[in-house]
Amino acid sequence: MPGREPAMDMLAMVGDVLPELSVVLGGVAVLVFALFAPRRLLAGAPLLALAAVLLSGVATFGQLGGAEYLTFADTYARDGSAAWAKLIVLAATAGVIGLSWPWFRTDPRHGEYYTLLLFSALGAILLAGATDLKQFVVAMLLSSATGFVLVAYHRRSSPASEAAIKYYLLGAFTSAAMLIGVAYLFGLGGSTTLPGLAAGLPAGGIGLVLGASLIILAVAFKMGAVPAHAWMPDVAQGAPAPVAAFVTSVPKVGAFLFLARLLLAIPPDAIDWRLLAALLAAATMTLGNLAALWQNDVRRLLGWSAVSQTGYGLMAIAALGVSDLATPALLFFLLAYVVGNVAAFGVVVELRGRTELAAYQGLARARPWMLGALVVAFLSFIGVPPLAGFFAKLALFAAAIEADYAWLAVVAAVNTVVSIVYYARVMAPAYFGELAAPVPALGRLPAAVTLAFTAGLVAFGIAAEPFLHEFAGALLLPD
């Protein structure tokens, strides 16, 4: 019946965002529970948050393999790229919930923490599916605002407060740049949707260059790329360890996906954005690796490592539209990096936040399984087979070479060799040094989460071919 068509359309649109609605309702449920539940029952908050993540994951699995299209008046993508990005974000969020449970157990406000965590994950999810500049702004602000609070959640910690202030100030600056860039592109293209901009933007001009550059700057902040990378090592060092695991990896998933969609919408003759992405990739990986060489703090080293990993991911952005490997390489890189990052920070959490390099000396004698997990994460970052990071880098290198950026692959290979040095600075003393003091552990749950994500690095490496094949069919700007 004709009268039923609007209702059916509305129902279909609700189905398009069912994973997002699950996270929203879960966040609200956790907040209400934290407000009214007695303190002795607040341990139920992470269970509610985990249930919301699992429901969202089930809804997302239902979207895989289906039709790929833009919904809500071309402002949001229901496609394979967005679905896989959601699953990566949700898996990492579930892991961080497991790491956070014992870490925040004695904090009287830890119920509200899980609401912030869910909404921050929602910001990354919305960013991954955004095909409209207004949607992009909302997702960026949601991800950033919750991230600022999460980083500063230990109010009496000076390192956490300092990291949050740096994170906030750089975020405020790039957010202002983002809004100016959005205004420029809207004025030039007469639309805020990416399909509308692809059709309406001029073929060149200083306005287009300025507008696109300001938006790219804001996305670079979210990814931790040059020149907006400075917050990453401070947050990795000063934030609560579970938050550091989350903030240094999960927002990157959404940022990379939106950047890929945005650049594909810019007229190819207007800006040589592939060369720009290649230059940003080279600068980011080189700076991150060189800065990591001098670190005597393991968490700060992981922060600089996160910067360098962003540089590797940008190789796939430089190959978009030229190499068929670009999209699968990007998605598999995000999967490998996020899993490895949660595993690495999981070791830090299990060791109660041990951060000085000297504190890891002789760790093999006290916590061999935890050190093994850290080593596996490091080897995956380097790109050692058969771990997931190896196949991620292999796909990235192949995509760059296929896109005629062989020089970028050479730069990445040299940077990979350099990265071995600072990872070895942690691994060698941990295995061959003398244990200076007893090593306390936080509990079985963080250890289980860490080992599960470590096993994921091995499993995804072994199953890399089917994953890359599945990712190859994902679209970035479906009709």
Side-chain angles (χ1 to χ4, degrees):
M1 294 177 60
R4 295 179 59 185
E5 290 182 1
M8 294 175 64
D9 290 342
M10 182 59 68
L11 186 62
M13 292 171 70
V14 170
D16 292 339
V17 292
L18 192 57
E20 292 80 356
L21 289 175
S22 300
V23 178
V24 171
L25 295 176
V28 173
V30 172
L31 179 60
V32 173
F33 177 81
L35 287 175
F36 295 104
R39 184 174 176 180
R40 68 179 186 278
L41 298 179
L42 283 182
L47 292 176
L48 285 175
L50 188 59
V53 170
L54 292 176
L55 286 174
S56 181
V58 170
T60 304
F61 266 112
Q63 295 181 347
L64 291 176
E68 297 185 275
Y69 52 87
L70 302 182
T71 186
F72 288 94
D74 291 345
T75 63
Y76 199 65
R78 187 194 185 281
D79 56 20
S81 297
W84 283 111
K86 291 175 197 175
L87 290 175
I88 295 171
V89 169
L90 292 169
T93 304
V96 171
I97 290 172
L99 297 178
S100 301
W101 196 337
W103 184 277
F104 290 98
R105 182 169 45 204
T106 59
D107 192 321
R109 304 170 301 125
H110 75 271
E112 294 88 338
Y113 164 84
Y114 297 99
T115 295
L116 291 168
L117 191 65
L118 287 177
F119 285 146
S120 190
L122 177 64
I125 288 172
L126 294 176
L127 194 57
T131 56
D132 179 88
L133 296 181
K134 300 190 297 295
Q135 174 75 16
F136 160 67
V137 170
V138 171
M140 284 283 286
L141 294 178
L142 178 60
S143 176
S144 296
T146 51
F148 301 151
V149 181
L150 287 171
V151 171
Y153 213 76
H154 288 333
R155 293 177 297 176
R156 295 181 178 86
S157 169
S158 297
S161 299
E162 181 181 350
I165 289 172
K166 291 181 179 178
Y167 189 26
Y168 169 76
L169 291 176
L170 191 55
F173 171 74
T174 55
S175 293
M178 170 184 68
L179 294 174
I180 296 171
V182 167
Y184 264 105
L185 292 192
F186 173 52
L188 290 169
S191 174
T192 57
T193 67
L194 296 187
L197 291 174
L201 284 174
I206 188 64
L208 176 59
V209 173
L210 180 60
S213 299
L214 292 174
I215 293 177
I216 292 172
L217 176 64
V219 180
F221 160 75
K222 187 59 61 178
M223 294 189 300
V226 170
H229 64 281
W231 63 272
M232 187 76 78
D234 292 290
V235 167
Q237 180 185 22
V243 173
F246 183 89
V247 175
T248 57
S249 59
V250 171
K252 288 186 182 184
V253 178
F256 267 108
L257 264 291
F258 178 78
L259 180 62
R261 298 183 198 274
L262 173 68
L263 294 181
L264 287 176
I266 295 176
D269 297 330
I271 305 173
D272 192 353
W273 53 261
R274 291 187 183 88
L275 178 59
L276 173 62
L279 293 174
L280 285 177
T284 301
M285 68 176 73
T286 302
L287 177 62
N289 283 317
L290 291 179
L293 287 172
W294 314 107
Q295 302 306 314
N296 292 315
D297 184 289
V298 172
R299 290 176 62 177
R300 195 168 184 85
L301 182 149
L302 286 172
W304 281 113
S305 172
V307 173
S308 71
Q309 293 295 319
T310 298
Y312 297 125
L314 284 169
M315 295 169 66
I317 301 295
L320 283 172
V322 180
S323 170
D324 292 336
L325 289 170
T327 300
L330 176 61
L331 290 172
F332 195 78
F333 160 77
L334 291 173
L335 173 64
Y337 170 68
V338 171
V339 172
N341 196 64
V342 174
F345 274 101
V347 175
V348 176
V349 172
E350 170 63 5
L351 301 181
R352 294 182 177 271
R354 293 167 73 91
T355 186
E356 291 294 329
L357 184 60
Y360 285 75
Q361 182 172 313
L363 187 61
R365 292 168 173 77
R367 295 285 184 269
W369 287 102
M370 285 297 99
L371 179 58
L374 186 63
V375 169
V376 169
F378 284 171
L379 294 180
S380 182
F381 291 155
I382 294 170
V384 174
L387 302 175
F390 168 75
F391 295 98
K393 282 194 173 180
L394 188 64
L396 290 170
F397 283 30
I401 293 172
E402 192 172 295
D404 292 330
Y405 286 112
W407 65 267
L408 181 58
V410 172
V411 171
V414 172
N415 271 278
T416 297
V417 174
V418 172
S419 71
I420 297 174
V421 177
Y422 60 80
Y423 291 129
R425 290 186 64 222
V426 180
M427 295 186 290
Y431 274 108
F432 304 113
E434 294 296 329
L435 186 65
V439 181
L442 187 60
R444 293 181 179 179
L445 182 58
V449 170
T450 302
L451 293 177
F453 274 76
T454 304
L457 290 173
V458 179
F460 292 133
I462 294 173
E465 185 175 353
F467 271 98
L468 287 168
H469 178 75
E470 185 69 25
F471 293 160
L475 300 179
L476 286 169
L477 276 180
D479 296 329

